Amino acid sequence: MTRSLHRILVAGAAGFIGSNFVRHLRRTRPEVEITVLDKLTYAGNLANLADVEGQPGYRFVRGDICDDELVNELASQTDAIVNFAAETHVDRSLMDPFAFLETDVRGTAVLCEAARKHEHEVFLLISTDEVYGDVPEGRSAEDDAFRPRSPYSASKAGGEHVARAYAESFGLPLLVTRGSNNYGPYQYPEKLIPVLITNAIDGLPLPLYNDGSAVRDYLYVEDHCRAIDQVLHEAPLGSVYNIGTGSETTGLQVAEAVLEIMGKPRSLIEFVADRPGHDYRYALDVSRITELGWEPQVTFAEGLERTVRWYQEHHEWWRPLKSGEYWEYYKRNYRPLAGR
Ligand code: NAD
Ligand code: DAU
């Protein structure tokens, strides 16, 4: 099956994945009218969308997904919502859980209500593999129980529960994707890979929590965007899709690979105090999205090389972000490993 959508409201698209998704959609479906709604928090950045600004069929609205009046107005002018808007960084969620509950739960509810009221064709919620919690063994399948362990993942799980309730109670035409760890151009330099790359460029220590052994499935952002596009246009309403590569990489392996690409010494690695409640492994069963006909095209080696080059060539994008509030957050977040 394929569905054709003409006017899509993309919330949170001034951030990392959303901006890559808008660029992807402009390339693959230039006829689709896109309205971006974004609050421009510290993680939102109009520079991420500079290359689509001014194009016919694209407009940007600055605003909050919790603002029901504004959301209703925009929903009345569109037929589908894709929601990327969220507070997204686990470490910040340990410092200010309520900002996460407000946007990731209440904001999602406001969008669901507007989509219902205006009889939208699809509501696609961009969720995360973190809702399954720590997975010491095996792989998480879409019907597995939620066991979130951080304020971030609990808020994302809450948003999913609200959306599911709207689907069950009011017939909201819901789709959900649960992606693994994305990396690539335009990722705010608080997440592991851009922290490692930008610190290495400046000869600063590369901080790894505890012993760097936590495992993630790193997914190149363009591959994620292709999967989201495919789910949005082809998946049966009511379905949920895990999206990942099925690979497992430790933080230490990521740091070593970054240093290798950049020709920098391993001595830059610094083990620091662990993240409280750190999930040591996520691993997805990706058979459902594979059956839909999607598979990743960019290997981790290739994607990391591209990402390192992008940050090396775009100092003007990330240097202004690493100033002021960023360093206050950084100093608060990183502590020495006990006993050192
Ligand atoms: P990001 O932090 O880079 O961007 C989030 C965007 O949401 C920003 O532009 C911000 O301004 C906007 N925003 C925040 N609160 C808002 C509000 N109340 N109203 C309107 N806009 C608001 O995030 P990202 O890494 O691009 O993640 C996008 C989505 O994908 C999130 O929902 C996240 O949970 C999910 N996700 C991320 C990953 C990952 O590895 N980054 C993996 C799986 C799922
Ligand atoms: O799994 C999907 C999730 O991936 C998304 O839902 C989140 O929005 C996104 O932030 C990301 O969460 P993680 O916590 O997995 O990503 P982060 O880049 O913060 O950390 C990746 C791993 O690296 C994790 O085991 C913690 C570790 N880490 C992280 C940072 C920032 C370090 O060792 N050092 C660091 O400085």
Side-chain angles (χ1 to χ4, degrees):
M1 71 167 304
T2 50
R3 74 177 61 82
S4 71
L5 302 165
H6 302 290
R7 302 177 305 170
I8 307 180
L9 176 57
V10 189
F16 164 49
I17 307 174
S19 61
N20 278 285
F21 179 70
V22 165
R23 238 184 315 283
H24 166 87
L25 212 55
R26 293 264 85 191
R27 259 196 323 270
T28 57
R29 303 176 193 267
E31 72 288 357
V32 175
E33 284 181 27
I34 298 173
T35 301
V36 168
L37 170 63
D38 197 294
K39 187 177 171 183
L40 297 182
T41 66
Y42 77 95
N45 186 348
L46 279 181
N48 299 3
L49 291 164
D51 47 1
V52 295
E53 186 58 48
Q55 288 184 2
Y58 168 83
R59 71 171 165 152
F60 177 83
V61 178
R62 184 173 189 176
D64 192 329
I65 59 166
C66 298
D67 177 347
D68 37 13
E69 206 173 309
L70 175 62
V71 167
N72 260 295
E73 186 192 329
L74 298 178
S76 74
Q77 301 158 1
T78 47
D79 322 304
I81 293 176
V82 182
N83 183 32
F84 292 92
E87 289 292 340
T88 63
H89 192 40
V90 173
D91 295 315
R92 287 189 193 252
S93 82
L94 299 165
M95 298 173 186
D96 181 11
F98 286 89
F100 287 70
L101 290 164
E102 178 68 8
T103 289
D104 302 10
V105 185
R106 206 178 91 75
T108 301
V110 169
L111 292 170
C112 289
E113 179 64 25
R116 164 171 96 110
K117 189 164 160 193
H118 296 284
E119 299 180 346
H120 273 201
E121 291 174 44
V122 182
F123 182 89
L124 170 50
L125 181 61
I126 307 300
S127 188
T128 168
D129 62 0
E130 300 209 6
V131 295
Y132 300 116
D134 194 39
V135 188
E137 283 176 6
R139 294 186 168 273
S140 308
E142 286 85 349
D143 295 331
D144 285 2
F146 285 7
R147 292 194 180 82
R149 299 178 64 246
S150 73
Y152 164 68
S153 52
S155 304
K156 292 296 289 184
E160 269 207 53
H161 282 310
V162 170
R164 174 70 48 205
Y166 265 76
E168 298 289 347
S169 308
F170 308 123
L172 182 77
L174 179 65
L175 292 168
V176 176
T177 57
R178 296 188 189 132
S180 63
N181 285 59
N182 282 224
Y183 68 103
Y186 299 101
Q187 185 167 33
Y188 189 85
E190 65 189 352
K191 307 284 164 66
L192 179 69
I193 289 184
V195 164
L196 298 181
I197 295 172
T198 57
N199 280 14
I201 289 173
D202 284 342
L204 296 173
L206 274 53
L208 290 178
Y209 296 143
N210 193 22
D211 56 0
S213 68
V215 166
R216 295 292 186 267
D217 172 352
Y218 289 96
L219 171 65
Y220 194 63
V221 65
E222 270 176 38
D223 279 332
H224 190 199
C225 292
R226 274 192 309 105
I228 293 168
D229 185 343
Q230 199 160 345
V231 169
L232 180 65
H233 291 95
E234 296 174 25
L237 292 176
S239 48
V240 179
Y241 286 85
N242 287 341
I243 304 176
T245 70
S247 63
E248 301 190 27
T249 309
T250 65
L252 183 57
Q253 287 170 326
V254 176
E256 286 171 345
V258 165
L259 292 169
E260 169 88 30
I261 293 169
M262 296 178 68
K264 298 264 182 170
R266 203 176 176 282
S267 56
L268 281 176
I269 293 175
E270 182 178 36
F271 295 105
V272 298
D274 207 357
R275 168 187 284 176
H278 196 170
D279 288 339
Y280 265 76
R281 181 173 177 267
Y282 301 133
L284 291 174
D285 176 340
V286 291
S287 40
R288 190 177 288 178
I289 187 74
T290 308
E291 277 160 30
L292 197 66
W294 174 89
E295 59 179 30
Q297 292 177 349
V298 182
T299 62
F300 185 61
E302 169 63 23
L304 194 62
E305 178 110 24
R306 280 194 214 174
T307 306
V308 168
R309 301 283 167 250
W310 190 86
Y311 282 88
Q312 284 175 327
E313 288 165 9
H314 290 83
H315 284 233
E316 82 295 346
W317 183 84
W318 60 266
R319 282 210 183 276
L321 304 178
K322 291 187 88 165
S323 63
E325 191 275 338
Y326 177 88
W327 289 116
E328 280 168 37
Y329 153 77
Y330 198 93
K331 278 189 219 130
R332 221 176 132 193
N333 188 54
Y334 293 102
R335 288 161 294 116
L337 193 60
R340 294 212 173 188

